[in-house]
Amino acid sequence: MKTGQEYRDSLRNRNIKVYIKGQLLDSKDVIDHPFIKGHVNSAAMTYELAEDPQFEDLMTATSHLTGKKINRFTHIHQSVDDLVKKVKMLRMISLNTGTCYQRCVGLDAVNSIYSVTYEMDQKLGTNYHERLKKYLLRWQEEDLMVAGAMTDPKGDRSLRPSQQADPDLFVHVVKKDDKGIYIRGAKAHMTGMVNSHEMLIMPTSGYGEEDKDYAVCCALPVDAPGVIHIFGRQTNDDRKLEGEIDQGNARYGVVGGECLTILEDVFVPWENVFMCGEYPFSGMLVERFACYHRQNYGGCKGGVSDIVIGAAATVADMSGYGKATHIKDKLNEMIHLAETLYCCSIACSAEGKPTAAGNYYVDPLLANVGKHNVTKLIYDIDRLAQDVGGGILATLPSEADFRSPEVGKYVEKYMRGVASVPTEDRMRMIRLVEVMTGGVALVESMHGAGSPQAQKIMYSKLSGLESKKKAAMKIAGVDPSKYSK
Amino acid sequence: MKTGQEYRDSLRNRNIKVYIKGQLLDSKDVIDHPFIKGHVNSAAMTYELAEDPQFEDLMTATSHLTGKKINRFTHIHQSVDDLVKKVKMLRMISLNTGTCYQRCVGLDAVNSIYSVTYEMDQKLGTNYHERLKKYLLRWQEEDLMVAGAMTDPKGDRSLRPSQQADPDLFVHVVKKDDKGIYIRGAKAHMTGMVNSHEMLIMPTSGYGEEDKDYAVCCALPVDAPGVIHIFGRQTNDDRKLEGEIDQGNARYGVVGGECLTILEDVFVPWENVFMCGEYPFSGMLVERFACYHRQNYGGCKGGVSDIVIGAAATVADMSGYGKATHIKDKLNEMIHLAETLYCCSIACSAEGKPTAAGNYYVDPLLANVGKHNVTKLIYDIDRLAQDVGGGILATLPSEADFRSPEVGKYVEKYMRGVASVPTEDRMRMIRLVEVMTGGVALVESMHGAGSPQAQKIMYSKLSGLESKKKAAMKIAGVDPSKYSK
Amino acid sequence: MKTGQEYRDSLRNRNIKVYIKGQLLDSKDVIDHPFIKGHVNSAAMTYELAEDPQFEDLMTATSHLTGKKINRFTHIHQSVDDLVKKVKMLRMISLNTGTCYQRCVGLDAVNSIYSVTYEMDQKLGTNYHERLKKYLLRWQEEDLMVAGAMTDPKGDRSLRPSQQADPDLFVHVVKKDDKGIYIRGAKAHMTGMVNSHEMLIMPTSGYGEEDKDYAVCCALPVDAPGVIHIFGRQTNDDRKLEGEIDQGNARYGVVGGECLTILEDVFVPWENVFMCGEYPFSGMLVERFACYHRQNYGGCKGGVSDIVIGAAATVADMSGYGKATHIKDKLNEMIHLAETLYCCSIACSAEGKPTAAGNYYVDPLLANVGKHNVTKLIYDIDRLAQDVGGGILATLPSEADFRSPEVGKYVEKYMRGVASVPTEDRMRMIRLVEVMTGGVALVESMHGAGSPQAQKIMYSKLSGLESKKKAAMKIAGVDPSKYSK
Amino acid sequence: MKTGQEYRDSLRNRNIKVYIKGQLLDSKDVIDHPFIKGHVNSAAMTYELAEDPQFEDLMTATSHLTGKKINRFTHIHQSVDDLVKKVKMLRMISLNTGTCYQRCVGLDAVNSIYSVTYEMDQKLGTNYHERLKKYLLRWQEEDLMVAGAMTDPKGDRSLRPSQQADPDLFVHVVKKDDKGIYIRGAKAHMTGMVNSHEMLIMPTSGYGEEDKDYAVCCALPVDAPGVIHIFGRQTNDDRKLEGEIDQGNARYGVVGGECLTILEDVFVPWENVFMCGEYPFSGMLVERFACYHRQNYGGCKGGVSDIVIGAAATVADMSGYGKATHIKDKLNEMIHLAETLYCCSIACSAEGKPTAAGNYYVDPLLANVGKHNVTKLIYDIDRLAQDVGGGILATLPSEADFRSPEVGKYVEKYMRGVASVPTEDRMRMIRLVEVMTGGVALVESMHGAGSPQAQKIMYSKLSGLESKKKAAMKIAGVDPSKYSK
């Protein structure tokens, strides 16, 4: 397994093209850019905590391919216990970073593809599963960070890929030869991409015959020729160019660091292609990935919420109202909401079942329930945090004012809360609440792993409504057989 | 194990005193009274389903005392799997009864007392645990239904037991001799009491030295001399005196059948006494019981909600608007809420841990989170059911009108929805939604296993807020050691 | 104006056919039936309070037809002030009855028809408006109680009236002659009908040419030949056959007293016909009525909520926890919600505008907003009331137990809260909370004046979304003219 | 009245000291600073729209002092109609700015002080009211922008002003002489201060004898000697240093532009002092101001929400999913919430009453209800906007990327939604949703005009709970006189 330092070092050896605000970064220094380094620190935690013996049980696993100890982020889940530990690992890491560490996406991608390729091969006689296992072996051996790449830009959402004015708005195969395939398009919202080694391309949804070329799944290095990354703006990203305090979470940042990844006729050799035209399996892959990924949110966002709760409570303490009944009640409400999210993630894991390929899959209904709660309850938690935090969240003077020889003394004097607490400490906590409860952090909770409507659609499919109707009829003394379709 | 029929028969051999609307019932016929028979049918399901091989895994367990197969409602949980199965059993039974079957209270009581007596004995050198095991042995052998009896009437809630104008407002020991103890007082909201064999008396909360006599835990038959039961009113209970349709759930009723149980200096022999004055352990017992009992609600109310969802969906179908988008959306929302409750129950079970006595205890924080969600989300589910069900829920003519030779034809004609559905079927489903979404059913979700504030109080104790504060400080660059207390 | 007593007396002179539980009532004694007398008491308050000088300003108005003082329930709104006073009158009466007094429906009907007939006449050269004014004159002179009759049974909701298997599922004209028309069908959920003098038939929605016969609006006595009323069941209606306590609100009841009114080819003379086939105006009439009626709910339900709040607070006081912080917080939350409803009713009134006919019409968007809030916030208020009220709401022994020579002493002893408060008083308050927060009372808030979706549909029409889009584009620096349709 | 241009020009003639990020701005150019100019543009709208004849009715009023036409922002409310027009004016301006225009604070301050000084003079024989009228005369004549300055930094919130370790944490009088008073301290969250002419200092709460020196109310220029302003950070403020698109609302900004205003022994002549030590009136002043200010939020935030709704709807249209049912439903929900806020502001205005001084005051309970709804519903509106807006809100590339010769083409290509819509237009709308739904905009809704708990406290005082209890007792058949205190 890689150490945190080895992970960082390995990122310098890439020939990656990253643009930020229209400027191409030097590929060796990408990870030093102020907009990116926090995300690297956060991802590095997935390596560093794996080195720590006290977290060995959560952070590592035993490879089912080699029997070796591997980082859990490279593991194919072999049991319910593996599923539960994934959630606990996520919550624990979040408590250490206060933000996204990006590496779950690739983990979820490979676990999904693992089972889908198996079923595809069974049905179609293809050989994708073995290819994937070979790829996975290297992944585990080299302890790679692999970005999962699903979301296409999608253009006009009322049209299918093949109906778009521009055929490239979904990633598709533009050429095949005996060595491999060439793909074109883009993937949006690519979490952790710029500090990953490789990426796993997946299709966005269930396609039909006419969208066959869009049913593509493959792996490639993030610095493959023809790949360009444009780093997205984040709330308050420019504060990273200044001092530490105003950033709130200066070491790890606020979200995962997303980019738009352009694929200009990029070549992928056949050994790294795991689906190519088998459109009837594209929907299955999307669903598997979505459910694995939705499993996470009560873990990672649970931990992030713990930090929000702790930060809001600390601001209250430092301002002298930490013991007010209504404050304690609001903190308890926040705890209630965060633990509700956690319950969903634990439950969908505890109810996991093996797939045909042998790896364990979460309960899909409960995984959706969890993510759907995140799209609402995180907003409630953050609203309560802003309530507890006070109006100063919106009007605090800058660190530069605090450091100023001229007005620093006023900030020091008037931004003080409880007399014994240094003003700087209070400012740091206020900033932490501010940055964690607004902007991208909220949007990420809403749309990460699928927008609310995506979960609602799954309910129609997974909820067993017909059997509930029949049970209700029986209770009411109505014969269900009269109404069976 | 008893069959359902044996259970019913055994209830006839009691010399029980039950009053309904001021009238003493004949003790042999108590279970035939229209107000009571539904509750008996429902409780009997806990016996009948245990006879069914397809439910053996959920409904039965292996006694850790005897190694014999026993009804799970008499089992001391030996593993996380036992805890999870309890929840699944509850949801499954609810799907068959659409209402409370009452028997979990005794189960939760004995599991709580099991661990508390063990710890008490360890600390104090008492011998309660062995007594309890002996009692439990008979319970399992005879497959008893035992009511858990905790809630005292409480009088003036701002006063402790010993401060009340009337000392009997909490059950207390009024006399002891070498044979046993004599207890006086009452227990309120006694679910399933009138169709149980025995009851397990528990104290209501953590008491001090001055309330020592109130720290009493013991078992006695429901028909012991000096015991009187006054059956509580329920929403629409009088409909049980008429035909079937207007009852909605004519076979099983709407809630659990609660009574006020009076204890007039009732004698309990020492072998059935499991706490008597050890007040420092009364709070622990209350907490254990509360958490076990709060675990249940995502199971039983999850299943009850399934029936509500199915019933509302069926009314929509039968009225011709089942395919409307906003209806489907509301049904999905209801499903989301019901599954959220279920997640909490599964999670607190999956995170269960062994007690010092060896039996398994739920995660107390998550159990509270689950129940607290019930106090809100069931109201949301029922509100949505009433939305989907339509205004006819409040104005449907009676069954007597429907059966009337004079106006029955009008009810038949004008209460019809979709032409192919018999009006009676539609009326039955409407009534089912009506009775399940109002009155006692809601109050039970609110206050059963403890009112919302009871859970909030537990959060303050269990949430680990201090460690969240420290984690947040670290993220913000504030040294937590400066703030450790 | 009639006194309350005159109103009661006048109801005895009807030849009305009312069925309850399949039994035809004696027409002279209809208002004495236990199921009905509370509704009469409540409606009578609209007469009695008008006699009271302190309420003259709210309860009476000056007829724009005659200049005479009339009961406000017979008034055509002549100003914004009239609209506002209507809301205040409703809240004030509710504070005196704790329930629906039914008489607003006719008031809303006549105000709607008043403006629609005017516009119809202007457009089509018909003479309906003058007819209505003549009818109105008698209404005001005789201080009639007139039921508004809109909702048809509707059968299969996915079909239009003319598409139904049974053409009578919507009220329609089956014959016309030179004297008048003959109508057939039924009207459902008829509030206050059995204790009214007359009824105003209105169509249910906007119809097309093929549903022309269903576009009928007319007035007729509730005891016209061919009219039959089947009284609907209510939650706990049978308690009205027993003592007083268990009813909670023994004098006035819980809701409005709804029935299914059958119209068997009922004759209506032309002078009482206000629409007959002018289907393009049926939708306008429905919308006007809906908005006037939706205006009310923050008034009447505001007042009803005041009683719920007061009752819950009193139970808390009588039980010794009225001063607990979380209880006060919940009461404040309930007050917040009730006043939010009231704000909507006041606002839609204050923003009222004159119609072409000269009478004042509420702001339709804000009236819908108010009712839509009712469909949610009343549930929240009632949930909080049940929280504050405690589990005893679901398990309180009956009045018969309390009065019993045998067990009355136990109820007296153990149902006591604060020692100084008589148990009976506490029981009465508990019952009041119980009956006001469940069953029909909730459904009425949901569906009265239109189900939630009915309001949502109005938003699409009334919200001015297109102009909001244009304003947003301007702010964003996008030229709206490029996107104007 | 001043024109917009005259307003801008007048701001250049100040000798104001403003610090941003530790740097002192040139006092002539303060309004050109990128962090400030948007706020000036927004405030200028209160002058510019007053020049527009179509808005004359809303934007201007007739001075009760001079009978001259004045800007409504300098008006003492003379009627209910004035109160209602204030709300409508606010909503209308917000539709034009999409953000705060800051000028209501001074208006609310002067209306509050107007009535309080009158009552103070009546009671104490002081002469403050006449002083204020003289000051007001100049205010109206010169059409000043006056900042209301209430919130003190407050230090340790568990301590009163006189108990703080540092006595300056609340503004207080440090010296008096025959010319005037000298004040020291600071005021936090000063909206619009840096682009105002004067400020009105008010106390923060009801004080006792020992806090007498803190009971001070007076007016002074924003550039008086000893006054220093430190401008607060806002979410994404640094984007104002770049191009236009990423700002979202480049012309007007996102919130009101708040600063921390330091008062270093600032002299105020007696003619501008309106309270000085009369502590029993400080609480009354705070309450009056709070209620006037809480009145506004359904107006200004209603209009701001209209822009949010319009922007989200436009993003949906431009992305091809504007016609999806769930999107329309969410937009309707947003409209519902925004209009609920508006209803509260209209209602508290329509229910306004004259004070002893003759000016009109809002209904205080309903004003609090309105603001309290804002602290929750704006979060719901913004959550729904983020839902409708999509994940791209969090990951959109920067304007610099869009303008880049190298990667601009990719942004152009892949950020396109509906083919006919230019990518830039879509980006602008996405940015507008992004900036309006996060960070300071939310916090402002939470804490502006008082935090949620401040409203809850008012409910306890204003709700008439005791009379609700009595009314409930009467309904339940309990004699209220037995329980009157």
Side-chain angles (χ1 to χ4, degrees), chain B residues 390-425:
Chain B
I392 197 65
L393 295 179
T395 71
L396 188 70
S398 65
E399 178 172 3
D401 290 313
F402 180 65
R403 306 283 182 217
S404 153
E406 289 169 70
V407 293
K409 62 186 172 190
Y410 297 122
V411 178
E412 173 73 40
K413 177 182 174 78
Y414 288 115
M415 289 300 102
R416 185 169 294 259
V418 169
S420 61
V421 174
T423 298
E424 179 173 334
D425 284 3

Side-chain angles (χ1 to χ4, degrees), chain C residues 28 58 78 116 199 232 305 325 346 361 363 401 433 481:
Chain C
K28 304 299 168 228
L58 291 185
Q78 298 298 308
V116 172
M199 72 180 91
S305 295
T325 308
I346 290 294
Y361 182 49
D363 181 283
D401 290 313
V433 176
S481 71

Side-chain angles (χ1 to χ4, degrees), chain B residues 54-289:
Chain B
Q54 71 167 310
F55 299 124
E56 184 180 359
D57 185 48
L58 292 184
M59 293 298 303
T60 68
T62 304
S63 170
H64 75 299
L65 299 178
T66 64
K68 289 193 211 161
K69 185 165 101 172
I70 54 173
N71 190 302
R72 187 173 292 281
F73 281 101
T74 71
H75 185 51
I76 298 296
H77 315 300
Q78 298 299 308
S79 63
V80 158
D81 191 50
D82 273 348
L83 292 173
V84 170
K85 276 186 181 145
K86 179 191 175 197
V87 172
K88 294 188 173 190
M89 171 182 74
L90 297 176
R91 189 162 189 178
M92 183 275 288
I93 305 176
S94 288
L95 270 166
N96 284 280
T97 62
T99 189
C100 177
Y101 26 88
Q102 318 135 33
R103 208 173 165 197
C104 60
V105 198
L107 172 64
D108 296 333
V110 74
N111 269 279
S112 315
I113 302 169
Y114 189 89
S115 69
V116 172
T117 50
Y118 183 89
E119 294 175 46
M120 219 183 341
D121 290 357
Q122 292 289 105
K123 184 91 178 279
L124 308 176
T126 45
N127 193 29
Y128 292 125
H129 191 63
E130 284 311 307
R131 278 189 198 166
L132 181 76
K133 287 204 328 208
K134 213 170 292 171
Y135 180 73
L136 175 65
L137 199 62
R138 184 167 67 84
W139 185 337
Q140 292 183 344
E141 293 291 311
E142 300 183 18
D143 203 0
L144 296 176
M145 171 145 168
V146 180
M150 181 171 275
T151 312
D152 296 292
K154 289 183 181 165
D156 184 335
R157 273 69 173 171
S158 65
L159 304 175
R160 301 179 66 80
S162 58
Q163 297 170 325
Q164 300 283 339
D166 178 346
D168 301 340
L169 291 168
F170 291 69
V171 168
H172 58 130
V173 178
V174 288
K175 198 178 125 189
K176 299 184 214 177
D177 60 25
D178 54 357
K179 300 237 181 62
I181 62 175
Y182 295 79
I183 58 176
R184 188 189 298 161
K187 290 288 183 181
H189 325 309
M190 290 295 97
T191 302
M193 176 68 86
V194 297
N195 49 303
S196 287
H197 304 100
E198 305 234 337
M199 73 180 91
L200 257 177
I201 299 285
M202 293 172 286
T204 321
S205 76
Y207 295 134
E209 172 72 31
E210 69 283 12
D211 301 310
K212 205 173 161 167
D213 292 341
Y214 296 89
V216 60
C217 174
C218 60
L220 60 151
V222 298
D223 57 354
V227 179
I228 296 168
H229 308 280
I230 306 173
F231 202 68
R233 290 226 69 163
Q234 293 180 355
T235 312
N236 293 324
D237 45 13
D238 287 320
R239 292 192 191 173
K240 296 179 180 178
L241 307 171
E242 305 180 14
E244 198 181 288
I245 296 179
D246 293 0
Q247 294 186 54
N249 185 349
R251 184 152 177 80
Y252 304 109
V254 182
V255 282
E258 267 89 20
C259 70
L260 175 68
T261 293
I262 313 295
L263 302 160
E264 282 275 276
D265 297 357
V266 180
F267 170 74
V268 184
W270 282 114
E271 74 226 43
N272 284 351
V273 176
F274 313 121
M275 179 185 291
C276 184
E278 293 80 2
Y279 63 88
F281 287 86
S282 63
M284 182 196 283
L285 178 51
V286 172
E287 189 173 317
R288 294 268 163 96
F289 173 73

Side-chain angles (χ1 to χ4, degrees), chain C residues 8-15 27-28 223:
Chain C
R8 290 168 199 273
D9 292 345
S10 68
L11 295 179
R12 296 200 186 273
N13 300 325
R14 301 171 306 162
N15 194 23
S27 70
K28 304 299 168 228
D223 57 355

Side-chain angles (χ1 to χ4, degrees), chain D residues 268-290:
Chain D
V268 183
W270 282 113
E271 73 226 45
N272 284 351
V273 174
F274 313 120
M275 179 185 290
C276 184
E278 292 81 3
Y279 63 87
F281 287 85
S282 63
M284 182 195 283
L285 178 51
V286 172
E287 188 173 318
R288 294 268 164 96
F289 173 74

Side-chain angles (χ1 to χ4, degrees), chain B residues 38-59:
Chain B
H39 305 306
V40 176
N41 289 337
S42 194
M45 280 297 250
T46 69
Y47 293 91
E48 289 161 11
L49 291 169
E51 300 172 50
D52 188 335
Q54 71 167 310
F55 299 124
E56 184 180 359
D57 185 48
L58 292 184
M59 293 298 303

Side-chain angles (χ1 to χ4, degrees), chain A residues 19 21-22 157 166 168 189 233 236 238 242 246 319 379 386-387 394-396 401 406 413-414 447, chain D residues 19 21-22 157 166 168 189 233 236 238 242 246 319-320 379 386-387 395-396 401 406 413-414 447:
Chain A
Y19 284 83
K21 290 200 188 174
R157 272 70 172 170
D166 178 347
D168 302 340
H189 324 311
R233 291 225 71 163
N236 292 324
D238 287 320
E242 305 179 13
D246 292 359
S319 307
Y379 285 76
Q386 293 189 350
D387 186 349
T395 71
L396 187 69
D401 290 314
E406 289 169 68
K413 177 182 175 81
Y414 288 115
H447 295 285
Chain D
Y19 284 83
K21 291 199 187 176
R157 273 70 173 171
D166 178 346
D168 302 339
H189 324 310
R233 290 225 71 164
N236 293 324
D238 287 319
E242 305 179 12
D246 292 0
S319 307
Y379 284 76
Q386 293 189 350
D387 186 349
T395 70
L396 188 69
D401 290 313
E406 289 168 69
K413 178 182 174 79
Y414 288 115
H447 295 286

